[in-house]
Amino acid sequence: MAQSARGRFVANLAAALVAGRWDRRVMRAAAAAAVGGKPGWLAPLVRRVHAAYPEKPQFDPVRAFLERDPTLGRVIDRDGPPAVVRVFVPPAEMLPPPTAAGLVELPQLPTEAALAEWLGITPARLLWLADASGRNRKHPPGPLRTYHHRWVPKPGGRARLLEVPVHLLKEVQRDLLERLLDRIPPHPAAHGFRPGRSVVTNARPHCGRSVVIRFDLQDFFPSVSAARVRAIFRTFGYPEAVARLLTGLCTTRLPADVWDARPNPAADGSDHPAWQRLAARHLPQGAPTSPALANLAAFKHDRRLSKLAAALGADYTRYADDLTFSGSVELARGAKRLATLVAVIAGQEGFAVNHRKTRVMRRAGRQEVAGVVVNARPNVRRAEYDEIKAILTNCVRHGPAGQNRANHPDFRAHLTGRVAHLAAVHPAHGRKLWALLVRIEWRAAKVAGGEQAETATDNNR
């Protein structure tokens, strides 16, 4: 939106006041140069600004002060905005993060050049990766695109879209995650994609409760628009130009040919809202930065749902797109009302509840939160434990070659991941499974889905 004449005048006057030394004489001279004279209201205005800020402030607070100043406002209302005689450019500067975020130390990146230097890339490469013009979406399939796309089938006929950045962009995103985003704490109710948090910490508050109610957010990452991502970076002090490039590095738009190639398109057009989200700039599922930014985008959402839970005497946590409430029998009686309130709050915060996945789980049945059973304490399904134990036992007795019936590309890594997950949830069961895993002989084992040729030394690592 174009800035009004009033807005341009106020911004230019604020830039003039902070352009030089924080001294009233210097400030008066710069302000007079900006308006082309010394009107009677100028010197008193300079005194008021200087008195309000004994130490030199940044540009934005001064501009806000001028916008609120009643005397300047009356002058502008009476005579119209004075002409801008000399243009002053606002200094590139970082603003402090919000006090609610606590002591957050973020890299100081006041300019586009500073961002490029911090990332260790050239300004031209930065502009290409950020793709502020949306060029990536218009390129034909090939090396000029900065994302690879893959549709992954899901139960029920739909497919999940993976948007994976090319190697260089992924490295830049990992840098942003480790050196910037991981320093900004999300809401305490968020347990996914956070150091020190896991499915187990997400499950613990809901153990032994009379009722557990689970909701699912639809298209969690694509629901986070570029405008919301840019607002996050602006909130934490980054100038508009820098926030725009940071947003470009972390969001993308889906090319039309990728959407047209989706499997099982809906004949009734019910998937059109998904296309609208993907065609606009959004958080891609597959980028290292997306989980952290989604958590930050959901901060207000989590805060409101936490307050709702507290009002109902319940607990609330979120693991990615999985929302969980737990409480007493009173919560179970009000489950329908809770579902309505959760859907309303989610909608107001830019998300949507997938009502088909809402579950009300009472103590008499199995209560499960993000794959963790919580009836008494964090646990896994007995069938899951028995299945992985049987696979490992057969691998020990007969070798792994005939056990990879699902054709996992790296069967050893697959088994290790499953055992690690189960051990995190139930350490006693985990110790038994680790003991079986290390007994498997992987040397020169030809396993369906890939060649496993680890040495005995590798096996003992």
Side-chain angles (χ1 to χ4, degrees):
M1 181 181 295
Q3 193 177 30
S4 66
R6 181 188 187 117
R8 287 195 296 271
F9 166 73
V10 170
N12 192 65
L13 183 57
L17 291 173
V18 299
R21 195 170 66 252
W22 197 243
D23 174 87
R24 283 191 295 181
R25 182 180 60 81
V26 176
M27 294 164 65
R28 282 196 303 270
V35 302
K38 297 181 180 179
W41 52 264
L42 186 61
L45 177 65
V46 171
R47 286 197 297 270
R48 291 194 298 274
V49 174
H50 193 270
Y53 300 100
E55 300 293 332
K56 184 176 180 177
Q58 294 180 314
F59 165 75
D60 279 345
V62 175
R63 179 175 59 178
F65 180 94
L66 297 182
E67 289 173 344
R68 297 191 305 265
D69 187 79
T71 303
L72 181 61
R74 286 193 294 270
V75 170
I76 295 175
D77 290 340
R78 183 189 66 209
D79 304 328
V84 174
V85 176
R86 176 181 169 187
V87 175
F88 285 81
V89 178
E93 57 193 13
M94 288 278 297
L95 294 175
T99 55
L103 297 177
V104 179
E105 293 187 9
L106 298 177
Q108 298 296 298
L109 307 171
T111 64
E112 299 176 31
L115 174 60
E117 182 180 2
W118 181 74
L119 290 171
I121 57 179
T122 64
R125 184 58 59 89
L126 170 62
L127 292 174
W128 182 75
L129 291 174
D131 188 25
S133 64
R135 173 208 69 254
N136 181 68
R137 183 170 179 263
K138 301 173 184 176
H139 281 312
L144 291 179
R145 286 187 177 175
T146 49
Y147 281 84
H148 305 298
H149 304 92
R150 182 160 60 96
W151 293 98
V152 180
K154 294 197 304 184
R158 291 191 62 192
R160 177 188 296 110
L161 173 65
L162 291 183
E163 299 172 284
V164 181
V166 298
H167 177 74
L168 177 59
L169 179 55
K170 183 180 287 188
E171 290 301 308
V172 168
Q173 290 173 345
R174 284 174 175 158
D175 215 13
L176 285 173
L177 176 65
E178 295 172 5
R179 300 168 63 194
L180 195 159
L181 294 174
D182 275 349
R183 299 185 181 188
I184 305 175
H187 191 276
H191 288 258
F193 320 115
R194 295 185 60 183
R197 301 287 185 94
S198 66
V199 291
V200 178
T201 63
N202 179 68
R204 282 196 186 114
H206 309 294
C207 290
R209 309 305 298 270
S210 296
V211 65
V212 176
I213 305 177
R214 195 177 71 219
F215 303 92
D216 180 83
L217 295 178
Q218 188 170 352
D219 295 335
F220 183 47
F221 288 165
S223 295
V224 181
S225 66
R228 297 175 71 180
V229 174
R230 186 167 62 251
I232 291 170
F233 289 120
R234 291 289 286 140
T235 297
F236 282 88
Y238 291 100
E240 176 62 33
V242 175
R244 186 180 66 252
L245 289 177
L246 288 170
T247 300
L249 292 172
C250 301
T251 60
T252 188
R253 299 175 66 189
L254 184 68
D257 62 279
V258 178
W259 174 256
D260 292 339
R262 69 194 184 282
N264 303 318
D268 59 357
S270 58
D271 52 3
H272 183 66
W275 162 242
Q276 290 181 308
R277 286 189 289 269
L278 294 168
R281 291 199 79 106
H282 61 276
L283 289 183
Q285 185 162 342
T289 45
S290 291
L293 284 168
N295 274 344
L296 295 175
F299 189 95
K300 187 179 176 184
H301 169 270
D302 291 336
R303 183 178 62 191
R304 293 181 67 184
L305 291 185
S306 293
K307 289 183 177 180
L308 173 62
L312 298 174
D315 286 301
Y316 163 74
T317 63
R318 180 179 58 80
Y319 191 91
D321 56 2
D322 202 347
L323 319 178
T324 306
F325 292 78
S326 64
S328 64
V329 291
E330 285 76 15
L331 183 66
R333 295 191 188 105
K336 288 186 178 180
R337 181 170 177 266
L338 174 64
T340 300
L341 292 173
V342 169
V344 169
I345 292 173
Q348 291 173 343
E349 298 303 326
F351 300 104
V353 172
N354 186 347
H355 295 286
R356 292 177 299 176
K357 293 188 177 181
T358 299
R359 298 289 182 270
V360 179
M361 299 168 285
R362 292 174 172 81
R363 187 176 291 172
R366 184 171 63 218
Q367 298 170 322
E368 192 170 340
V369 176
V372 179
V373 178
V374 295
N375 289 72
R377 58 184 175 82
N379 207 342
V380 294
R381 299 180 186 179
R382 183 70 196 190
E384 182 181 354
Y385 170 71
D386 290 342
E387 178 191 29
I388 185 64
K389 182 180 178 184
I391 293 173
L392 293 172
T393 301
N394 287 334
C395 287
V396 171
R397 292 176 179 174
H398 310 296
Q403 305 305 315
N404 187 13
R405 298 187 177 95
N407 292 322
H408 295 286
D410 189 340
F411 190 43
R412 184 177 185 179
H414 167 73
L415 291 180
T416 303
R418 290 189 65 179
V419 172
H421 167 72
L422 196 146
V425 177
H426 197 300
H429 285 345
R431 285 191 290 272
K432 297 177 183 178
L433 297 181
W434 283 124
L436 288 170
L437 183 65
V438 298
R439 291 173 56 194
I440 298 174
E441 178 55 65
W442 296 95
R443 181 195 299 272
K446 189 176 283 189
V447 181
E451 188 81 22
Q452 302 286 339
E454 290 84 353
T455 63
T457 301
D458 291 335
N459 191 45
N460 293 325
R461 284 180 181 174

